[in-house]
Amino acid sequence: MYCGFGHADSGFVPIFIYAIFGSSRQISIGPAALTSLLVSNVLGKIVDSSDALYTELAIVLTLMVGILECIMGLLRLGWLIRFISHSVISGFTTASAIVIGLSQAKYFLGYEIDRSSEIVPIIKSIISGADKFSWPPFVMGSIILAILQTMKHLGKSRKHLKFLRAMGPLTAVILGTSSAKIYHPSSITLVGDIPQGLPSFSIPKGFKHAKSLIPTTLVITGVAILESVGIAKALAAKNGYELDSNQELFGLGAANVLGSFFSAYPTTGSFSRSAVNHENGAKTGLAGVITGIVMCCALLFLTPVFEYIPLCALAAIVISAVISLVDYEEAIFLWRVGKKDFLLWTITAITTLFFGIEIGVLIGVGFSLAFVIHESANPHIAVLGRLPGTTVYRNIQQYPEAYTYNGIVIVRIDSPIYFANTSYIKDRLREYEIVVDKLTRRGPQVGRIYFVVLEMSHTGAVQALKELHHEYKSRHIQIAISNPNRNVLLMLSKSGVVELIGKEWYFVRVHDAVQVCLQHVERIKEDHMASGSDSSPEETESSLFKSLLKQRGEDSSVAELESGTNNKPSDLKHSDPLSEPLLFQKS
């Protein structure tokens, strides 16, 4: 381990605390290699690891990390974790499993390798020390690993042998310990002496250095949360339940705060031990309580026995557990169904492998946010058409049989309209005015588009709608708003956008809006034909269009808008018995 103190304490007290406050059913709380590495790197620059102050600073750091995590949980900042997509978690899990599996290779090979969260230094170290290779630990570790994998496979494939899966780790420990006791192989490293007894209560010291530890606290908290919640979300997805991120944050914080009073250093969800929990079928937080009780008994009575456990046997258990977390099947699936998610998976996995776990997750989250921003600024926009024989309007690309109407563009914007995507939306709408002309269309033949019907089930930004209105008004095109939810309608009314666009141009359904717009298109066509004007068709139609809009605005009153008496079907040549007003009748 990277820190030479408190590992038993860190693995004992926080387990019970997390079992009470945490939300994950499989995660195992305790010392983690990554957190240990961060603590060691930071505190090693301040004081020598053999100094008593080193231990004091680490315990204070535990308390500070715990307090920050608790605050985040109480302020319900768990929503920040939502930006960690499933692809990022899967890529992170796969790469971390590979790194942790390779880090256990030293117990198989019989010589030390560099401790790192990056794959390149580990591989270089393995290659450079190849001349120190020892056969006994490799043979023992390989045999135990083969037994574990066989028991796991039989436990999964045959229901009546399901118990073998849970008995695997215990079998590995018994076989390894028995072999060590009987043969006493000098080339196989054993666990060795373990201090006996439970941790004692003590108040953290060294608060005078707390200010200098604030940056470190922020870094460790961020990394611990990303790692722990990432593991917890991955295991929650594999076991089919939802993870409460806020409760998870508070549970981690409480475990660290109370753990600091028992000489624990910063703890988080352990990747390897959580994988073991998952592989052995843990289904509730009771698994953590049982683990804590077993550790309590072990610390009190069994430490002499544990001295003879070969490290290669423990490494085999860890490797067996992390093998199942190498989620290459997810990568294949993502490649087939979504290249963007596959790209996220690949970026996260590669950066985690080559730049470390914390950097990999941060880069993965960063790319996730970039994709979210890109999709928000470039939303999906669908041109809608009417399904034959219905009043239902659907995306014409998904339903080729749907038809549109001359002079009308019906559009659904599949995200809220706001300042960042207004320009993109206007560009797409201009394109759709041309594209719709090439589609199957019905209704009177007119020279251009006169109405744009916006399906507004999503929130619309006031300024964005104003810009769209002025854009269309300058080209003699009228906007009609359909299906606005109550909050959207209230916001638009307060901001004056309802008055700006015209109260008469708000409808409950897309079909209602189309019926009214179609009526106007028919009148424009009829009046143009009756006028016999020498002007160009488009000029005459534009003039008639403006007069009709003016007439409609004068005929529609606020009272009609509120009572729902405007847009009467009887006023329309092609009225529909299913047409509805904007708002329901007041009771």
Side-chain angles (χ1 to χ4, degrees):
M1 291 295 181
Y2 296 102
C3 296
F5 72 94
H7 285 83
D9 303 344
S10 296
F12 170 66
V13 177
I15 287 178
F16 290 104
I17 307 303
Y18 180 83
I20 298 172
F21 296 105
S23 63
S24 176
R25 303 171 190 174
Q26 287 79 32
I27 199 170
S28 176
I29 294 297
L34 178 58
T35 308
S36 300
L37 179 61
L38 290 171
V39 173
S40 177
N41 287 346
V42 173
L43 297 186
K45 298 175 183 178
I46 300 175
V47 63
D48 188 84
S49 59
S50 61
D51 197 307
L53 180 60
Y54 185 97
T55 302
E56 293 178 5
L57 291 179
I59 294 172
V60 171
L61 193 58
T62 304
L63 180 61
M64 294 172 67
V65 168
I67 291 173
L68 183 56
E69 289 172 338
C70 283
I71 291 173
M72 292 180 69
L74 291 173
L75 293 179
R76 306 193 64 79
L77 297 179
W79 61 269
L80 295 171
I81 309 300
R82 297 175 192 168
F83 290 102
I84 308 177
S85 71
H86 177 72
S87 303
V88 170
I89 293 172
S90 178
F92 155 73
T93 303
T94 298
S96 298
I98 294 172
V99 171
I100 290 175
L102 285 174
S103 71
Q104 300 297 309
K106 63 181 180 181
Y107 302 117
F108 273 57
L109 301 175
Y111 59 87
E112 284 294 322
I113 61 175
D114 291 343
R115 299 177 184 272
S116 176
S117 61
E118 303 168 24
I119 192 171
V120 173
I122 294 176
I123 292 176
K124 283 183 177 179
S125 182
I126 290 174
I127 295 173
S128 63
D131 58 318
K132 302 174 185 176
F133 175 76
S134 176
W135 279 104
F138 180 79
V139 172
M140 178 182 283
S142 298
I143 291 173
I144 292 176
L145 179 59
I147 292 172
L148 284 170
Q149 289 296 98
T150 302
M151 293 179 72
K152 184 195 299 184
H153 175 72
L154 291 174
K156 285 182 178 180
S157 59
R158 301 183 183 181
K159 291 185 178 179
H160 65 284
L161 296 177
K162 190 176 180 179
F163 66 94
L164 290 177
R165 184 178 176 184
M167 289 185 62
L170 180 60
T171 303
V173 170
I174 292 174
L175 286 175
T177 305
S178 301
S179 300
K181 288 283 287 183
I182 294 171
Y183 298 107
H184 303 286
S186 57
S187 57
I188 294 180
T189 306
L190 306 180
V191 171
D193 183 54
I194 300 175
Q196 192 168 8
L198 298 177
S200 58
F201 179 87
S202 62
I203 298 175
K205 303 175 184 179
F207 286 102
K208 61 182 179 179
H209 298 279
K211 187 175 181 181
S212 62
L213 294 177
I214 291 177
T216 307
T217 300
L218 296 174
V219 172
I220 292 179
T221 299
V223 171
I225 289 174
L226 287 172
E227 182 180 15
S228 184
V229 177
I231 296 166
K233 286 187 73 174
L235 293 177
K238 284 180 175 290
N239 288 275
Y241 65 90
E242 290 292 327
L243 187 76
D244 187 335
S245 298
N246 295 309
Q247 187 178 345
E248 188 70 13
L249 289 173
F250 185 80
L252 289 171
N256 275 309
V257 169
L258 296 177
S260 67
F261 291 94
F262 292 90
S263 302
Y265 73 92
T267 58
T268 184
S270 169
F271 195 100
S272 54
R273 288 194 302 276
S274 297
V276 172
N277 261 2
H278 168 66
E279 282 301 310
N280 286 282
K283 297 297 181 184
T284 68
L286 184 62
V289 175
I290 294 173
T291 301
I293 293 173
V294 171
M295 288 190 65
C296 177
C297 295
L299 288 171
L300 288 173
F301 310 112
L302 300 178
T303 51
V305 177
F306 293 154
E307 294 179 11
Y308 295 95
I309 299 177
L311 291 178
C312 61
L314 298 180
I317 294 174
V318 173
I319 292 172
S320 175
V322 299
I323 283 175
S324 63
L325 294 177
V326 178
D327 206 358
Y328 64 90
E329 292 180 353
E330 179 70 12
I332 296 173
F333 173 77
L334 292 175
W335 171 258
R336 290 174 179 171
V337 301
K339 299 298 189 290
K340 188 177 294 183
D341 287 329
F342 174 78
L343 180 61
L344 266 180
W345 189 96
T346 305
I347 290 172
T348 305
I350 291 176
T351 52
T352 301
L353 280 173
F354 290 95
F355 300 101
I357 292 175
E358 66 277 18
I359 295 178
V361 174
L362 289 173
I363 289 177
V365 172
F367 272 91
S368 292
L369 289 174
F371 285 156
V372 169
I373 293 171
H374 179 268
E375 290 178 359
S376 177
N378 300 273
H380 177 262
I381 304 175
V383 176
L384 306 183
R386 183 176 179 177
L387 297 179
T390 72
T391 59
V392 176
Y393 291 77
R394 290 293 183 265
N395 188 340
I396 58 176
Q397 291 186 346
Q398 296 177 352
Y399 296 85
E401 68 274 19
Y403 56 84
T404 59
Y405 291 99
N406 291 304
I408 305 171
V409 177
I410 312 159
V411 177
R412 185 187 69 232
I413 302 170
D414 294 329
S415 74
I417 302 174
Y418 71 113
F419 69 91
N421 60 21
T422 304
S423 178
Y424 175 84
I425 291 172
K426 288 193 294 186
D427 291 341
R428 296 291 79 75
L429 291 178
R430 290 193 196 98
E431 291 178 9
Y432 294 145
E433 292 177 33
I434 301 172
V435 171
V436 170
D437 287 332
K438 302 176 182 178
L439 304 174
T440 303
R441 307 182 63 178
R442 299 190 181 183
Q445 294 292 328
V446 289
R448 64 183 186 85
I449 298 297
Y450 288 100
F451 296 94
V452 173
V453 179
L454 296 180
E455 205 271 0
M456 289 287 293
S457 56
H458 294 283
T459 304
V462 173
Q463 188 58 38
L465 283 176
K466 285 182 178 180
E467 290 180 13
L468 285 173
H469 170 73
H470 291 306
E471 163 80 13
Y472 282 122
K473 185 177 180 180
S474 66
R475 294 193 288 127
H476 308 302
I477 296 176
Q478 175 64 47
I479 290 179
I481 306 296
S482 68
N483 193 28
N485 64 49
R486 189 178 186 86
N487 292 332
V488 171
L489 197 59
L490 183 61
M491 178 187 68
L492 297 179
S493 179
K494 289 181 177 179
S495 63
V497 175
V498 169
E499 294 281 350
L500 181 67
I501 295 176
K503 302 179 185 67
E504 68 276 15
W505 296 107
Y506 289 79
F507 304 86
V508 170
R509 301 180 306 167
V510 171
H511 184 63
D512 302 331
V514 172
Q515 289 294 295
V516 172
C517 294
L518 184 59
Q519 173 69 18
H520 282 294
V521 172
E522 289 178 340
R523 287 179 179 174
I524 291 170
K525 183 63 176 178
E526 290 173 0
D527 292 346
H528 169 61
M529 294 177 65
S531 66
S533 174
D534 293 332
S535 303
S536 67
E538 290 192 7
E539 289 177 354
T540 304
E541 288 174 4
S542 296
S543 177
L544 293 170
F545 173 72
K546 286 186 282 185
S547 64
L548 279 174
L549 294 187
K550 183 178 180 182
Q551 180 184 350
R552 178 169 175 79
E554 292 172 351
D555 291 343
S556 181
S557 65
V558 178
E560 287 176 335
L561 175 71
E562 294 179 346
S563 64
T565 57
N566 61 325
N567 309 332
K568 300 184 186 72
S570 59
D571 293 336
L572 303 176
K573 286 186 178 181
H574 295 275
S575 62
D576 193 301
L578 298 176
S579 294
E580 298 176 359
L582 172 61
L583 302 176
F584 296 106
Q585 295 282 353
K586 290 186 176 180
S587 57

